[in-house]
Amino acid sequence: TEDKVEQFRRNTAATMRAISRHDELDVDFTADESGLSGNEAHVTMPSRDLTREEVANARGEADAMALKLRHHNEALHAKRRPGGPIARAIFEALEQTRCEAIGAQRMKGVRQNLDATTEERCKRAGYARIKEREDAPLAEIVRLLAREALLDTPPPPAARTMVDLWRSDLEKRAGADFSELAAHIENQGRYADTVRKLIRDLELGED
């Protein structure tokens, strides 16, 4: 089992470096929160059993981080970033969604891993329990609608009811913006401008 775990760690780290094109990327496996910090990537460590769900989730986390390293320009992003907390949360979420969608469109395995991670994130957050609009995190709903527009993939079962609480209202206000995102997926600047327009059309305020 230890050999399998070590092999999983080595393979995942190698895949991250290949996708990100960062040969010096330091990949750490942790029981704490996953995420990127400079040249360090922290990936959730599956249990020794390496269950299919745990492996898919860890690979999805790793793919998401690697794709952001590959396709994201932080200086350009910072110039377009809005000021308000909700607007900023949406802006950050939709840029991550853009990077993931590029990889998902090009690589079937990556798409499956990202789907698994999205499902796990929604389960952990308890979105299936949300029944009232005011309890729903708006940035996450916009993120899932953008993912649907970019990849023609519905929200995972754990989040569908929550998304549907807001769907008609958000699509009425910004449906054209969601559709336009796909046209600019490879152009971060134009995509960011479309996200800013989407935020304005949702009347969330940017300051």
Side-chain angles (χ1 to χ4, degrees), residues 37-73:
S37 177
N39 202 45
E40 294 182 2
H42 305 284
V43 181
T44 299
M45 185 65 214
S47 67
R48 292 183 187 179
D49 296 333
L50 291 176
T51 66
R52 189 167 57 85
E53 291 82 3
E54 289 175 332
V55 167
N57 178 58
R59 284 179 174 158
E61 286 181 0
D63 290 345
M65 286 184 259
L67 288 163
K68 186 166 187 182
L69 282 169
R70 171 83 169 269
H71 299 294
H72 174 73
N73 180 311

Side-chain angles (χ1 to χ4, degrees), residues 6-148:
E6 187 54 37
Q7 185 178 24
F8 168 80
R9 290 162 64 113
R10 280 199 310 270
N11 290 347
T12 302
T15 300
M16 286 191 77
R17 294 183 187 114
I19 290 175
S20 68
R21 295 183 177 171
H22 280 241
D23 293 339
E24 304 303 315
L25 181 64
D26 183 13
V27 182
D28 172 44
F29 292 84
T30 177
D32 300 324
E33 190 171 345
S34 61
L36 268 177
S37 177
N39 202 45
E40 294 182 2
H42 305 284
V43 181
T44 299
M45 185 65 214
S47 67
R48 292 183 187 179
D49 296 333
L50 291 176
T51 66
R52 189 167 57 85
E53 291 82 3
E54 289 175 332
V55 167
N57 178 58
R59 284 179 174 158
E61 286 181 0
D63 290 345
M65 286 184 259
L67 288 163
K68 186 166 187 182
L69 282 169
R70 171 83 169 269
H71 299 294
H72 174 73
N73 180 311
E74 181 56 33
L76 191 158
H77 184 71
K79 283 182 184 175
R80 302 290 209 287
R81 184 185 286 126
I86 297 175
R88 181 172 287 215
I90 290 172
F91 190 75
E92 299 292 343
L94 265 58
E95 170 59 8
Q96 180 66 46
T97 301
R98 183 188 74 86
C99 296
E100 292 178 17
I102 293 172
Q105 286 181 353
R106 295 176 181 174
M107 296 169 277
K108 183 179 178 183
V110 165
R111 181 171 188 148
Q112 291 170 341
N113 294 338
L114 292 170
D115 286 349
T117 299
T118 301
E119 171 72 20
E120 181 62 22
R121 187 179 75 246
C122 293
K123 282 181 181 175
R124 283 183 187 171
Y127 293 152
R129 297 192 297 272
I130 292 177
K131 308 297 181 191
E132 302 294 334
R133 275 171 55 120
E134 58 267 26
D135 297 329
L138 196 54
E140 185 62 38
I141 291 169
V142 174
R143 174 180 182 152
L144 290 169
L145 287 172
R147 175 176 171 269
E148 182 175 274

